[in-house]
Amino acid sequence: MNLGKEIRKFFPALDQEVNGHPLVYLDNAATTQKPVSVLEALDKYYRMDNSNVHRGVHTLGTRATDAYEGAREKVRKFINAKHFGEVIFTRGATTALNMVAQGYARNICQENDEIVLTYMEHHANLIPWQQVSKYTKAQLVYIPMQSDGTMKLEDIKKCITDRTKIVAMTHCSNVLGTMNPIAEVAKLAHEKGAVLVVDGAQSTPHMSVDVQALDCDFFAIAGHKMMGPTGIGILYGKKSLLEQMEPFEFGGDMIEYVHLYDSTWNDLPYKFEAGTPIIAGAVGLGAAIDFLNEIGMNQVQDYEQRLVKYAMEKLKEIQGFVMYGPKERSGLITFNLEGVHPHDVSTVLDMDGVAVRAGHHCAQPLMRMLDVTATARASFYIYNTEEEIDRLADSIQNAKEYFNHVF
Ligand code: 7TS
């Protein structure tokens, strides 16, 4: 299947006009559009199979359970997890990271221990660690960052010491597009007996992820950023660590035996899936994975690399265009236009039907490092085209002229 123009027909939301112009959707790092197959999988589930899972022995209950557990197996294969029990369905990447911080790190960290972080973390992989630090008195240590938004391996190495208990790092920055060397960091962390928690929200939709090859200990995924529905995410964890980890929520399905004053927990992964799980969300995510598998993740990454390189060349020609992040990056461009507030840029772009995000992108410490309060960001996916990037460039040029004229 050809990406770009040809694949767009599978995404109904792309086929609309916004403010009198064909929509150019470039806010894929926030969330992606959904193909018909995902919409149909959700529809079919609710129309035909809707039932609770792991409970009734009736036919619909069995179908719903098969669909839910079938989706888990699709995720397991997609990220190459070793065991089925290592794939836990969560509400999103944020929940997955909070589960590790609260259920694992809070119990193993003590005063004088260190939690190593980067300046480019999304708040979802930052605030949970601040909370662990407040509770345990473990110190937060930040790895120095270069002006292009990358980190040197030697700096990473220096920060990971015998005191390090946790290294928490994004695989791919949602602002800079920096792709971090997770497999190397895993080696450094493990040499010091530390555990590596990876925020995979911005990598999993765009490249092939193999959690065994990366050798990360925990890995968080957001389903809605890879064409799945909202409200579904994944926590991957190594079995031995998940077995040590405390449940995040308590109630039905996560128990083995319940007594009046104490209870024991179910096996993995159910120990971490209290209550009625996100059944339809998992089924939708399974359909999104089928769609991505049909394309192939290497093709996805190659295509997005082509798009981002084209966009970088095109946009740098605009006078006053300031781009943040390294040359080698994932498929997004975070930028400012000299003299124009990014919210104004995105408002003018929206008038031309071009959707980009403006703001701090849930990375306030990084904004301070870049010495800005906010930026605009265009982020690409498999259905975007070079023509759309031309529209983005024209619209940014319009914004520049509009504001230069008005002020
Ligand atoms: N981690 C990273 C790197 C992210 O980019 C995001 C969301 C999350 C975690 C949280 O994911 P959630 O699904 O649990 O919310 N990032 C963005 C963004 O860049 N613009 O909107 C949401």
Side-chain angles (χ1 to χ4, degrees), residues 121-156:
E121 296 312 315
H122 185 282
H123 296 163
N125 200 27
L126 175 61
I127 304 169
W129 305 113
Q130 292 176 351
Q131 294 305 105
V132 173
S133 166
K134 283 179 201 162
Y135 186 85
T136 63
K137 298 197 171 62
Q139 303 287 312
L140 302 184
V141 173
Y142 286 87
I143 303 167
M145 192 176 77
Q146 306 300 298
S147 58
D148 71 348
T150 60
M151 296 177 294
K152 287 187 181 158
L153 211 51
E154 65 209 61
D155 285 333
I156 301 176

Side-chain angles (χ1 to χ4, degrees), residues 27-31 90-97 120-125 170-175 199-203 220-225 230-233 332 357 360-362 377 379:
D27 194 16
N28 294 290
T31 199
T90 69
R91 193 180 66 78
T94 302
T95 307
L97 293 162
M120 68 183 89
E121 296 312 315
H122 185 282
H123 296 163
N125 200 27
T170 191
H171 198 178
C172 221
S173 161
N174 66 319
V175 178
D199 177 354
Q202 295 292 349
S203 61
I221 298 173
H224 68 97
K225 293 187 199 289
T230 50
I232 186 78
L332 60 84
R357 184 178 170 185
H360 55 60
H361 312 288
C362 299
R377 180 188 66 190
S379 50

Side-chain angles (χ1 to χ4, degrees), residues 222-237:
H224 68 97
K225 293 187 199 289
M226 47 191 285
M227 303 183 293
T230 50
I232 186 78
I234 300 294
L235 171 64
Y236 159 81

Side-chain angles (χ1 to χ4, degrees), residues 64-183:
T65 303
D66 288 350
Y68 182 65
E69 295 305 338
R72 195 190 312 276
E73 178 58 15
K74 286 179 189 178
V75 176
R76 187 198 68 72
K77 278 200 189 128
F78 191 67
I79 60 170
N80 193 31
K82 203 170 191 174
H83 304 286
F84 150 97
E86 294 178 328
V87 175
I88 297 155
F89 284 118
T90 69
R91 193 180 66 78
T94 302
T95 307
L97 293 162
N98 274 280
M99 284 166 74
V100 180
Q102 296 298 320
Y104 180 77
R106 217 171 83 151
N107 297 327
I108 63 147
C109 286
Q110 292 178 349
E111 197 168 352
N112 296 325
D113 287 342
E114 291 180 347
I115 298 169
V116 174
L117 297 168
T118 82
Y119 288 107
M120 68 183 89
E121 296 312 315
H122 185 282
H123 296 163
N125 200 27
L126 175 61
I127 304 169
W129 305 113
Q130 292 176 351
Q131 294 305 105
V132 173
S133 166
K134 283 179 201 162
Y135 186 85
T136 63
K137 298 197 171 62
Q139 303 287 312
L140 302 184
V141 173
Y142 286 87
I143 303 167
M145 192 176 77
Q146 306 300 298
S147 58
D148 71 348
T150 60
M151 296 177 294
K152 287 187 181 158
L153 211 51
E154 65 209 61
D155 285 333
I156 301 176
K157 191 170 181 180
K158 266 187 219 148
C159 289
I160 302 174
T161 69
D162 292 333
R163 291 166 70 176
T164 310
K165 283 285 182 304
I166 304 280
V167 179
M169 186 179 286
T170 191
H171 198 178
C172 221
S173 161
N174 66 319
V175 178
L176 304 164
T178 314
M179 296 184 279
N180 288 318
I182 295 302

Side-chain angles (χ1 to χ4, degrees), residues 45 50 180 208 212 240 312 321 374:
Y45 170 73
N50 179 51
N180 288 318
S208 168
Q212 290 188 69
S240 57
M312 282 163 86
F321 185 87

Side-chain angles (χ1 to χ4, degrees), residues 32-46:
T32 52
Q33 298 303 342
K34 320 303 174 200
V36 171
S37 58
V38 169
L39 304 177
E40 283 177 354
L42 291 171
D43 190 64
K44 175 184 174 286
Y45 170 73
Y46 278 126

